Amino acid sequence: MCIYFIGCLFQRYYEFTPEEMKALEECDKESFYQRCLPFSTLFAALTYAGIRHGCLRRHPHFGAFPKVAIAALLGHSVGRLSYIPECELKLRELPNDSHLGNTMRKYFKERNPPKNLK
């Protein structure tokens, strides 16, 4: 428990190990280059093509920019969300002395109980 208010603002509850930081940074970089960038590019290009061919209307003042920007942001979000299973797998493969790895393995076991084969 923290007695001083300002001290509570800077109190840390958990510090990642170097292996955990490396895995998280790899997840971030891989998800951006393998999913976010392609999805953003695809969504923005399709939206722009739709505007050029008359399927979507341009904004009277701003033109195609708002729709293309929203499509790119949507593509980024879809890319991040689609990479979650790969990041979970990478975090579950952390060493046994990793608190984050143990937490992810426990979470995975709770959500995916073994199937009874009869």
Side-chain angles (χ1 to χ4, degrees):
M1 187 169 152
C2 187
I3 297 172
Y4 300 105
F5 179 72
I6 293 177
C8 291
L9 293 176
F10 301 109
Q11 185 176 8
R12 292 188 179 188
Y13 294 104
Y14 179 72
E15 186 139 348
F16 293 113
T17 65
E19 295 88 13
E20 293 169 346
M21 285 300 297
K22 183 181 177 198
L24 291 170
E25 287 171 358
E26 285 176 4
C27 278
D28 186 47
K29 184 184 271 188
E30 290 172 4
S31 71
F32 178 75
Y33 287 112
Q34 293 180 11
R35 301 287 173 88
C36 293
L37 200 57
F39 277 116
S40 293
T41 304
L42 178 68
F43 284 21
L46 289 175
T47 302
Y48 186 71
I51 291 171
R52 292 282 298 198
H53 292 291
C55 298
L56 298 171
R57 291 190 319 191
R58 303 171 71 92
H59 190 275
H61 181 69
F62 298 111
F65 179 74
K67 287 186 173 103
V68 172
I70 289 171
L73 288 172
L74 183 64
H76 181 84
S77 300
V78 169
R80 288 281 182 193
L81 292 173
S82 70
Y83 204 75
I84 288 175
E86 284 80 3
C87 276
E88 286 180 351
L89 178 64
K90 188 176 291 236
L91 294 175
R92 285 195 315 264
E93 292 174 350
L94 286 170
N96 286 336
D97 62 344
S98 165
H99 178 69
L100 181 59
N102 290 333
T103 303
M104 293 302 293
R105 284 187 286 275
K106 180 181 173 190
Y107 174 81
F108 184 76
K109 285 179 185 175
E110 289 174 357
R111 301 298 186 270
N112 300 299
K115 295 181 169 75
N116 294 333
L117 299 174
K118 292 182 181 182

